[in-house]
Amino acid sequence: MLKLGVPSKGRLMEKTFDWFGARGVGLRKSGSDREYAGAVDGIDGVELVLLSAGEIPRELAAGNIHLGVTGSDLVREKLANWDAQVAELAPMGFGGADLIIAVPQAWVDVSTLDDLDAVAAAFRRNHGFRLRIATKYHRLVREFLREQGVADYQLVDSQGATEGTVKNETAEAIADITSTGETLRANGLKILDDGLIHASQATLFRGRRRDWTDEQRAKLKALQMVLGI
Amino acid sequence: MPTSADTLTEARRLRDLFAAKGAEVVKADVLQPAGTLLDLYGEDIRARAYLTSDPLRGEMVLRPDFTVPVVQMHMETHADPARYTYAGKVFRKQETDETRANEYVQVGYEVFDGQNPAGADAEVFAAIAEGLADLPVRAATGDIGVLMAAVRGLRTTEARKAALLRHIWRPGRFRALMKRFGSGQVTPARAALLAADDPFTDAGADIGLRSRGEVEARIDALRADAAAAPIAAEEIALIDAILGLRETAPNVLSALRDIAVDMPAIGDAVSGMDARLDALTAQGVDVSTLEFEGSYGRTSLEYYDGFVFGFYATDRPDHPPVATGGRYDALTAHLGQGRAVPAVGGVIRPDLALGIRAC
């Protein structure tokens, strides 16, 4: 049996069902709408597991599911050395969102990471602490800023309403997911020209664990044939 | 992973060796207050150190190295000169390579000596080398102080020098800054901002802690920078020449003397290197084969600001160094609230040393 993990609610679930449906594999919730059980039509030996998109990376890495649909950002954020633990089978063309760095529009002197870095140095001098960047994507943001050579900042955790942290003076800048930028603008923020950390989309992943049975490997091949990926 | 009895025996042997050189044996708490380290290293240490919280003491960290607690301890006694040795575990997360240990023993030798820096550098290097005697290792050395002196000697604004010095340890950003300061160009958007009568025409509401005044101050600084002459191509070439040096120490010294003709600002640092080579020779180190790299030590945690060295297994260049060390004068100034004590130290990893002895 090959276990396929799919987000358990919302547009991400519907779009995933549509994507598989268009390729001849029917996914549906079984039982009542509130129940997190699923059924698969069109191919044998594949079991649908509905769970939170944020848990799918961890479950893939642990081997509790074999395939999973989740955002490419979540896999990179939640798994160290992600590409040693999971592999991308197919980008799915929806759920697109960019992880970006944004600063107040009032910072007319800042449009690049180079500016942000210079401002961070001055901010630390003036205020006695490191410039705060609010985010829930700690790993991705830290790796990006390290690669880009930005110093004198600190990450502060924000699990929601991140765009409001600057106005509330709990952060000076943010790193968050955006698709249209509308919420950012409404909160007086702008995206840095070179502040794109990762362009995310819903992606079908497989786990890389070695303990797959031959039957599971054959089943994956069969599924890939049906899906045409 | 439990430390093997062999590693503990080797650690004790090394610590005794250093103690026999007059070093006081010191200990440090495994749990350290995180504030100092986070302030010092920022997010880099957050990625590498095990942070935990204590209901009364706030954020704590599992000791990622001994240097900071030893410096803090020394700053309270301020004997000069002073020598310390220690043996104990340090803890570092490994984010990408799970085959690397996340807790391991370090044995260190630290010298605080304001009188004779060249002699102290040589003493620490020789002590570490003695601890590794007979092992198949090669030493790599460098001197961050030469690069810093070269930056300070550039004929450009203090603001640019400060920006470059801040990024000595981030080679990519350093290079980007050199390129920009050497180009004399600003982007069209930036030029428009600097030329604007009111740069805040399209600005949104003032939100956040960074004030309008701070933005204005930066615009003034950007205007001043745009008005400053670009750093001369010849000077950039000299910095590149220093960074590109990779030869035996005597050959590098000779090359640096040539560079110092065009860049007298590095003269003192070069004399310091000369004195260090003499001191190393006096300690019995064969400097004629000692490797020196102009950019060595730039990617380590940013506290080394002078002599830097590392010892590597000869046939395993991909492995982490068996021993590392260097001078960290600025760190003592930072931790001593301005009261600096010239200091240099090195650490050996006994587990790695035993690993190559077995081969």
Side-chain angles (χ1 to χ4, degrees):
Chain A
M1 191 60 82
L2 204 59
K3 290 187 176 178
L4 165 65
V6 167
S8 56
K9 51 187 157 193
R11 274 172 50 83
L12 211 48
M13 180 186 77
E14 286 160 23
K15 292 268 193 182
T16 301
F17 286 7
D18 292 348
W19 188 88
F20 276 90
R23 288 161 179 77
V25 175
L27 304 182
R28 58 188 165 81
K29 272 190 168 178
S30 60
S32 82
D33 201 38
R34 293 182 179 280
E35 210 174 303
Y36 292 129
V40 181
D41 304 318
I43 187 164
D44 291 333
V46 179
E47 183 185 334
L48 179 60
V49 181
L50 293 166
L51 67 176
S52 145
E55 287 168 14
I56 287 177
R58 188 185 65 211
E59 296 302 320
L60 273 173
N64 295 331
I65 55 176
H66 304 97
L67 303 173
V69 173
T70 188
S72 52
D73 57 331
L74 291 175
V75 161
R76 284 162 176 75
E77 173 63 23
K78 296 196 178 250
L79 301 180
N81 261 352
W82 68 274
D83 48 357
Q85 305 198 55
V86 300
E88 286 185 355
L89 290 180
M92 298 169 81
F94 58 86
D98 292 342
L99 177 60
I100 51 84
I101 297 181
V103 300
Q105 291 159 9
W107 293 12
V108 294
D109 59 321
V110 178
S111 55
T112 63
L113 290 167
D114 193 52
D115 292 326
L116 180 69
D117 173 64
V119 164
F123 184 90
R124 190 177 178 195
R125 232 176 10 250
N126 292 335
H127 295 267
F129 58 91
R130 292 165 181 266
L131 183 141
R132 298 165 297 177
I133 302 177
T135 191
K136 64 175 168 189
Y137 294 90
H138 295 249
R139 182 198 305 276
L140 280 169
V141 176
R142 183 161 49 225
E143 281 176 1
F144 178 74
L145 292 177
R146 188 192 303 149
E147 260 165 40
Q148 299 291 328
V150 174
D152 292 313
Y153 71 94
Q154 59 181 315
L155 297 182
V156 292
D157 189 47
S158 167
Q159 292 293 329
T162 306
E163 296 91 344
T165 54
V166 176
K167 198 177 278 175
N168 295 333
E169 302 195 350
T170 54
E172 282 65 60
I174 70 160
D176 203 8
I177 285 283
T178 179
S179 42
T180 63
E182 205 53 55
T183 318
L184 290 173
R185 278 188 292 278
N187 282 282
L189 301 172
K190 62 176 181 183
I191 300 173
L192 295 183
D193 294 346
D194 51 357
L196 175 64
I197 299 172
H198 176 66
S200 175
Q201 64 170 306
T203 303
L204 176 61
F205 290 94
R206 64 162 292 185
R208 276 200 199 270
R209 289 175 64 95
R210 303 231 168 97
D211 53 8
W212 285 32
T213 63
D214 286 349
E215 184 221 329
Q216 286 166 334
R217 288 170 202 280
K219 189 55 65 184
L220 172 61
K221 247 185 200 150
L223 179 65
Q224 283 179 289
M225 288 283 280
V226 175
L227 294 173
I229 57 169
Chain B
M1 204 169 71
T3 308
S4 76
D6 289 347
T7 298
L8 290 176
T9 307
E10 175 69 359
R12 207 167 302 124
R13 181 188 76 81
L14 290 166
R15 198 191 59 189
D16 290 347
L17 173 76
F18 295 151
K21 295 179 182 302
E24 181 188 341
V25 177
V26 292
K27 295 188 186 304
D29 290 337
V30 171
L31 275 175
Q32 294 280 330
T36 309
L37 284 159
L38 286 172
D39 187 50
L40 213 52
Y41 304 121
E43 288 299 319
D44 292 341
I45 202 75
R46 204 183 275 280
R48 297 294 311 278
Y50 290 92
L51 287 162
T52 184
S53 65
D54 180 287
L56 294 177
R57 295 174 179 83
E59 226 176 351
M60 305 290 284
V61 59
L62 285 183
R63 175 175 75 202
D65 71 20
F66 277 89
T67 307
V68 169
V70 168
V71 169
Q72 283 172 323
M73 192 195 62
H74 175 78
M75 286 314 199
E76 278 157 27
T77 61
H78 47 86
D80 185 61
R83 289 169 176 72
Y84 303 103
T85 182
Y86 49 79
K89 270 191 174 178
V90 298
F91 306 83
R92 305 256 181 112
K93 288 183 199 167
Q94 298 294 346
E95 277 208 294
T96 54
D97 186 351
E98 59 186 306
T99 63
R100 292 197 174 189
N102 59 348
E103 56 173 283
Y104 47 85
V105 175
Q106 279 188 345
V107 187
Y109 185 63
E110 316 274 339
V111 175
F112 297 76
D113 183 350
Q115 305 305 311
N116 180 5
D121 286 351
E123 177 186 333
V124 169
F125 182 89
I128 299 290
E130 189 184 337
L132 302 174
D134 307 328
L135 292 181
V137 291
R138 65 170 188 89
T141 66
D143 192 338
I144 303 282
V146 172
L147 183 56
M148 293 173 92
V151 170
R152 289 197 183 98
L154 291 170
R155 283 188 294 273
T156 189
T157 62
E158 288 306 314
R160 284 179 178 173
K161 291 182 201 177
L164 287 166
L165 286 171
R166 184 168 156 261
H167 284 305
I168 289 272
W169 297 273
R170 294 175 202 88
R173 177 75 35 196
F174 183 88
R175 183 158 298 277
L177 283 174
M178 284 296 277
K179 200 173 157 200
R180 178 150 63 77
F181 294 153
S183 75
Q185 307 275 321
V186 293
T187 62
R190 185 47 48 88
L193 174 78
L194 299 185
D197 291 329
D198 178 10
F200 296 93
T201 314
D202 298 322
D206 286 321
I207 56 168
L209 271 189
R210 185 169 179 252
S211 67
R212 173 70 66 103
E214 288 176 87
V215 177
E216 284 167 345
R218 171 125 197 282
I219 292 174
D220 288 344
L222 288 170
R223 285 192 175 125
D225 190 67
I231 296 177
E234 305 83 66
E235 291 202 313
I236 291 177
L238 290 177
I239 299 274
D240 283 340
I242 291 171
L243 289 175
L245 289 170
R246 193 179 177 140
E247 280 221 55
T248 60
N251 285 348
V252 167
L253 181 62
S254 166
L256 284 173
R257 285 209 171 103
D258 289 343
I259 293 172
V261 172
D262 296 316
M263 193 177 250
I266 64 169
D268 286 350
V270 175
S271 304
M273 178 176 168
D274 193 6
R276 185 191 314 130
L277 292 184
D278 286 345
L280 283 166
T281 305
Q283 291 273 358
V285 177
D286 178 10
V287 297
S288 69
T289 57
L290 189 62
E291 292 171 39
F292 187 102
E293 290 172 42
S295 58
Y296 187 77
R298 289 180 75 204
T299 51
S300 61
L301 285 177
E302 54 181 290
Y303 59 65
Y304 292 135
D305 52 9
F307 179 48
V308 275
F309 63 86
F311 285 85
Y312 298 82
T314 314
D315 53 354
R316 300 309 299 263
D318 54 321
H319 277 203
V322 181
T324 54
R327 175 163 289 281
Y328 49 88
D329 297 349
L331 179 75
T332 68
H334 185 89
L335 294 177
Q337 276 100 38
R339 197 164 46 84
V341 182
V344 57
V347 292
I348 295 178
R349 282 188 57 177
D351 57 334
L352 297 182
L354 287 176
I356 54 175
R357 176 162 289 151
C359 293

